[in-house]
RNA sequence: GGUCCCGUGGUGCAGUUUGGAGUGCACGCCGGCCUGUCAAGCCGGAGGCCGCGGGUUCAAAUCCCGUCGGGACCGCCA
């Protein structure tokens, strides 16, 4: 039906008779005897010259047969890859007429996203999605090749699985053959990939679809794809090397060069310097420690377990009093008791609503510690340490974060995550920071004690590190992984500390624990989000731009109108009844 | 669960602060002209429940309340 793709034609094809198929992207008619038609297919555009009248409208699907020729001198279009040539003496066959599209398909117009999703099949014709989806396919291919080169075996794992209570909210699927019972869709293939290690597959990978019923964001959809990896007889360093190789291979196919990784950051250092476990290191404005400076201050608001500040260069010049007040309100919404702003004046003095409560050495100390100069804005938060980091970390991003496509690619590993992220106020037991199969850091293992021993004090528990690690790119968490526990006494102790009794452990994870009785190799793994990686490589702020058919923030699909009701018969078959809306 | 922004011919916007006739811009669409254009050009034309509902007012796109839809974020996402 077709001899060539439009965008592939060039001066080498001059003189060839070609047959092209595609959509009428633009047409420029010059009376009844000459018309230019830009024909579009997946590869791009080429100009077709039609002598004589032709009733060709936007987005008509046509087949064009003609001869490739050089454009007359002076009429070349350098903006078009095929702009040196054109297809002349065209005969045009209309394969399919088209109504005018509901929005322009040219790149020059930003279209409301709801419209784009309602007519996604038209949006897909546009250059942006064509480019992004091609890029995505290239990334998938590069990742697969990299993993296979490193000896990994692709394995498919089930979509209909048993629900496990921890973690994100499950999507569930009712069982017809066993009414009243439900499958869950996988939040990740976690348990299966560990089972595959017990099964001796040694090195497993999969580009796996994962589903989590949690609120959507710019970087989160219900369903997403991740490169899922697990390997036996390896340590954390090995795993990070495997994954590093995969993301560098992906970046290289897109940018043509392999970006360098930044040095590893410990979780603690990331939190202290950036107020985030996924630091965006493309800009400064790091958190500055002020706690010692106010150890014996008379200013009550700064008599806190932690006082930290960030400095925005020239922030005081750019921001009005109202904007500063808005920052204070925002900080409060994020949970801070307050936010103190300070302006460094041209004479070096500090202007602030609280300046009168601070003495000379304290003010000078803030300026010195932050390195503030005239025109700079300093924002101080005093509170419990986790809250201070959190609020200043968010403020830092809000004030200083560059657009996603600026500043290059800054990959880094965050290591030494805490084993527990807090103490549950109700049970008094620790809350796991990762899943309960995460191996503690070897240096902290002894401090946790063994099965049956007393529970260590809270500071020992909260100080314990795990062998968990995150991959971060430009402030986005690409993924995380860990060394898994393969020793039964360690696993028993962790369950014990988490308040999971033997019976409960057996009920929730029995099949994995059983498997571990029969010879579990030491193993470790990782998973990173393909959607996020592709978005960042494509320079997109939003993963919907790299997904062919995404959902809106409220989880709807305006194209298919999912989710929808199902009919009574289906419900009955499944043994379900829908409760009236409250 | 919460905070904030947006909703005006098919598309993208201005108008909303300070209420006064659906007033405007660009693109698209329809018709005409046009033999080297390329986001073609020129002339003419059609096209509006200002998301929806209620309220205030002599009068509402504009003010108030509610609701629906979209987006950003906090919580949530082991």
């Amino acid at each position: 039906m077709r001899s060539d793709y439009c965008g592939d034609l060039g001066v080498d094809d001059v003189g060839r008779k070609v047959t092209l198929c595609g959509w009428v992207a633009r047409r420029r008619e010059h009376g009844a005897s000459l018309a230019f038609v830009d024909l579009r297919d997946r590869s791009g555009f080429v100009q077709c010259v039609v002598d004589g009248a032709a009733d060709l409208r936007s987005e008509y699907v046509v087949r064009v047969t003609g001869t490739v020729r050089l454009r007359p001198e002076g009429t070349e279009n350098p903006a078009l890859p095929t702009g040196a040539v054109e297809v002349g003496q065209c005969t045009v066959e209309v394969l399919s007429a088209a109504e005018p599209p509901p929005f322009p398909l040219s790149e020059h117009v930003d279209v409301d996203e709801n419209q784009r999703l309602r007519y996604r099949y038209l949006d897909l014709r546009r250059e942006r999605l064509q480019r992004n989806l091609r890029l995505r396919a290239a990334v998938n291919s590069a990742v697969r090749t990299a993993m296979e080169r490193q000896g990994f075996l692709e394995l498919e794992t089930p979509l209909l699985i048993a629900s496990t209570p921890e973690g994100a909210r499950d999507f569930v699927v009712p069982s017809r053959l066993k009414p009243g019972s439900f499958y869950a869709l996988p939040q990740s293939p976690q348990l299966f990939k560990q089972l595959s290690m017990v099964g001796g597959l040694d090195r497993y990978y999969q580009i796996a679809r994962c589903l989590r019923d949690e609120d959507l964001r710019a970087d989160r959809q219900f369903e997403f794809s991740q490169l899922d990896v697990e390997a036996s007889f390896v340590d954390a360093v090995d795993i990070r090397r495997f994954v590093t190789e995969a993301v560098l291979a992906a970046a290289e196919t897109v940018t043509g060069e392999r970006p360098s990784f930044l040095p590893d950051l410990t979780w603690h250092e990331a939190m202290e310097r950036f107020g985030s476990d996924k630091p965006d290191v493309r800009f400064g404005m790091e958190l500055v420690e002020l706690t010692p400076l106010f150890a014996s201050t008379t200013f009550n608001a700064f008599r806190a377990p932690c006082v930290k500040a960030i400095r925005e260069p020239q922030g005081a010049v750019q921001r009005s009093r109202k904007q500063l007040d808005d920052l204070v309100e925002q900080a409060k919404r994020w949970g801070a008791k307050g936010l103190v702003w300070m302006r460094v004046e041209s004479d070096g003095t500090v202007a602030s609503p609280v300046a009168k409560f601070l003495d000379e050495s304290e003010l000078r100390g803030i300026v010195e510690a932050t390195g503030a100069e005239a025109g700079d804005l300093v924002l101080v938060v005093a509170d419990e340490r986790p809250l201070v980091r959190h609020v200043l970390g968010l403020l830092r991003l809000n004030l200083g974060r560059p657009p996603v496509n600026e500043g290059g690619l800054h990959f880094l590993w965050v290591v030494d995550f805490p084993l527990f992220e807090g103490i549950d106020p109700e049970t008094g037991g620790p809350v796991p920071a990762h899943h309960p199969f995460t191996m503690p850091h070897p240096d902290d293992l002894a401090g946790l004690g063994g099965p049956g021993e007393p529970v260590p004090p809270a500071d020992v528990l909260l100080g314990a590190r795990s062998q968990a690690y995150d991959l971060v790119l430009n402030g986005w968490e690409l993924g995380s992984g860990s060394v898994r526990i393969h020793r039964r006494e360690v696993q028993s102790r962790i369950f014990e500390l988490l308040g999971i009794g033997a019976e409960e452990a057996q009920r929730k994870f029995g099949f994995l624990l059983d498997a571990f009785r029969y010879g579990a190799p030491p193993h470790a793994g990782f998973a990173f989000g393909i959607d996020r990686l592709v978005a960042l490589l494509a320079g997109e702020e939003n993963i919907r731009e790299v997904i062919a058919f995404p959902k809106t923030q409220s989880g709807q699909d305006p194209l298919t109108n999912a989710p929808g009701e199902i009919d009574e018969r289906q419900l009955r078959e499944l043994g379900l009844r829908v409760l009236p809306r409250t």
Side-chain angles (χ1 to χ4, degrees):
Chain A
M1 200 165 185
R2 155 171 72 190
S3 70
D4 292 84
Y5 281 100
C6 300
D8 295 343
L9 297 178
V11 291
D12 292 345
D13 300 295
V14 168
R16 288 183 54 222
K17 187 173 181 187
V18 295
T19 301
L20 309 170
C21 293
W23 286 262
V24 174
R26 285 181 294 270
R27 70 217 133 84
R28 297 171 291 279
E29 294 179 62
H30 295 253
S33 54
L34 175 66
F36 300 98
V37 174
D38 288 342
L39 192 65
R40 181 190 65 235
D41 62 21
R42 199 184 79 185
S43 64
F45 302 86
V46 71
Q47 172 169 283
C48 301
V49 184
V50 179
D51 303 302
D55 186 25
L56 296 177
R57 305 293 171 117
S58 286
E59 300 308 314
Y60 273 30
V61 180
V62 297
R63 183 158 75 147
V64 174
T65 299
T67 305
V68 181
R69 66 191 187 202
L70 284 173
R71 292 195 185 190
E73 199 169 338
T75 66
E76 301 88 350
N77 183 357
L80 206 62
T82 60
V85 298
E86 63 189 11
V87 180
Q89 289 115 43
C90 289
T91 57
V92 181
E93 176 189 356
V94 175
L95 302 176
S96 182
E99 292 177 19
F103 54 83
L105 301 192
S106 73
E107 283 302 290
H108 316 284
V109 184
D110 278 334
V111 179
D112 175 71
E113 196 173 351
N114 207 24
Q115 292 284 328
R116 294 177 54 202
L117 292 177
R118 189 186 310 278
Y119 301 98
R120 193 60 161 181
Y121 44 86
L122 296 180
D123 199 29
L124 287 172
R125 289 184 200 163
R126 309 206 309 165
E127 172 61 24
R128 182 186 196 174
L129 285 183
Q130 291 263 327
R131 186 178 60 235
N132 289 349
L133 294 176
R134 255 199 313 272
L135 192 154
R136 185 180 182 125
V139 165
N140 276 350
S141 174
V143 161
R144 282 207 168 88
T145 304
M147 294 315 293
E148 278 165 21
R149 207 167 46 225
Q150 299 180 100
F152 284 79
L153 191 77
E154 184 172 3
L155 182 74
E156 290 165 278
T157 53
L159 283 177
L160 297 171
I161 66 175
S163 176
T164 51
E166 266 77 24
R169 192 178 295 113
D170 280 327
F171 277 101
V172 295
V173 178
S175 163
R176 173 180 59 86
L177 295 178
K178 198 178 171 191
S181 292
F182 297 83
Y183 301 96
L185 300 175
Q187 299 170 24
S188 82
Q190 181 64 35
L191 298 172
F192 290 97
K193 66 177 175 178
Q194 291 193 244
L195 290 173
S196 77
M197 293 302 101
V198 180
L201 291 174
D202 197 70
R203 291 186 181 184
Y204 142 95
Y205 89 96
Q206 177 182 197
I207 293 182
R209 194 67 71 86
C210 304
L211 299 104
R212 297 178 188 173
D213 188 3
E214 298 291 348
D215 288 1
L216 285 62
R217 286 281 201 290
D219 62 350
R220 277 159 40 185
Q221 285 271 304
F222 283 154
E223 31 186 328
F224 57 98
S225 298
Q226 57 183 37
L227 173 71
D228 198 48
V229 175
E230 195 80 12
S232 298
F233 309 110
V234 300
D235 59 21
V237 173
D238 296 321
I239 287 288
R240 293 203 290 268
R241 199 177 59 239
F242 294 141
V243 173
T244 297
E245 177 56 28
V247 293
L248 288 184
E252 187 175 15
T253 62
V254 174
T255 66
E257 54 192 38
R258 293 167 78 89
S260 55
F261 263 62
L262 298 167
D264 295 352
L265 272 182
T266 65
W267 178 86
H268 186 261
E269 187 179 2
M271 295 305 295
E272 290 297 322
R273 288 174 55 194
F274 300 99
S276 170
D277 61 2
K278 45 178 180 177
D280 190 338
V281 297
R282 290 177 300 158
F283 65 107
M285 289 181 65
E286 291 188 21
L287 279 57
V288 178
E289 186 64 56
L290 298 177
T291 312
L293 186 60
F294 295 100
S296 54
T297 184
T298 58
F299 180 42
N300 270 332
F302 284 1
R303 290 162 75 100
C306 175
V307 184
K308 284 168 106 66
I310 56 173
R311 173 179 69 95
E312 185 190 24
Q314 297 306 296
V317 178
Q318 298 160 14
R319 297 183 194 277
S320 67
R321 176 61 192 260
K322 179 173 186 316
Q323 285 173 301
L324 294 177
D325 290 341
D326 288 346
L327 287 179
V328 176
E329 289 312 306
Q330 194 156 41
K332 285 180 179 170
R333 282 198 292 273
W334 286 331
K337 292 190 191 71
L339 172 73
V340 170
W341 55 261
M342 300 183 164
R343 230 170 33 207
V344 181
E345 307 290 11
S346 51
D347 61 2
T349 60
V350 173
S352 171
V354 305
K356 57 177 175 288
F357 302 119
L358 299 172
D359 67 33
E360 190 58 33
S361 71
E362 289 171 332
L363 288 171
R364 198 169 52 242
I366 293 173
V367 170
E368 279 171 13
T370 59
E373 296 174 0
D376 289 357
L377 176 68
V378 175
L379 300 171
V380 188
V381 175
D383 214 306
E384 298 293 331
R385 183 159 294 268
L387 190 75
V388 170
R389 292 162 171 167
H390 179 239
V391 171
L392 283 179
L394 289 172
L395 278 169
R396 172 178 177 269
L397 291 175
N398 266 27
L399 296 178
R401 190 173 203 176
V404 71
N405 56 352
E406 288 182 8
L409 301 172
H410 292 75
F411 288 98
L412 63 88
W413 288 100
V414 177
V415 301
D416 292 348
F417 269 71
L419 192 58
F420 305 112
E421 68 181 11
I423 302 293
D424 189 321
E426 286 175 26
T427 67
V431 179
H434 210 57
H435 59 67
F437 315 113
T438 305
M439 181 76 93
H441 193 284
D443 297 346
D444 299 334
L445 192 53
L448 296 173
E453 293 178 22
V455 174
D459 62 317
V460 172
L461 289 175
L462 294 182
R465 293 160 296 170
S466 69
Q467 294 191 60
Y469 31 84
D470 274 14
L471 174 60
V472 175
L473 172 55
N474 293 5
W476 289 34
E477 181 194 321
L478 281 192
S480 60
S482 62
V483 176
R484 325 298 185 189
I485 298 171
H486 68 283
R487 281 157 50 198
R488 298 191 65 196
E489 77 279 9
V490 176
Q491 188 67 70
S492 298
R493 178 57 172 173
I494 292 294
F495 280 149
E496 200 173 277
L497 293 173
L498 293 175
I500 302 176
E503 193 183 317
E504 187 185 0
Q506 191 61 29
R507 193 174 65 246
K508 288 177 175 172
F509 313 111
F511 58 94
L512 184 67
L513 300 177
D514 286 348
F516 280 4
R517 298 151 77 103
Y518 298 102
H523 59 290
F526 194 82
F528 72 77
I530 296 280
D531 311 83
R532 290 182 182 175
L533 176 62
V534 171
L536 290 170
L537 291 176
E540 293 286 3
E541 305 271 1
N542 195 303
I543 63 170
R544 289 189 300 271
E545 300 297 344
V546 300
I547 297 173
F549 299 101
K551 294 188 175 49
T552 67
Q553 199 166 65
S554 62
Q556 322 258 330
D557 177 6
L559 173 62
T560 63
N561 281 323
E565 295 177 0
I566 59 175
D567 60 41
E568 191 55 39
R569 201 176 127 259
Q570 283 176 292
L571 285 174
R572 226 177 310 120
E573 226 169 32
L574 298 166
L576 297 179
R577 189 156 43 89
V578 177
L579 296 174
R581 255 170 259 171
T582 49

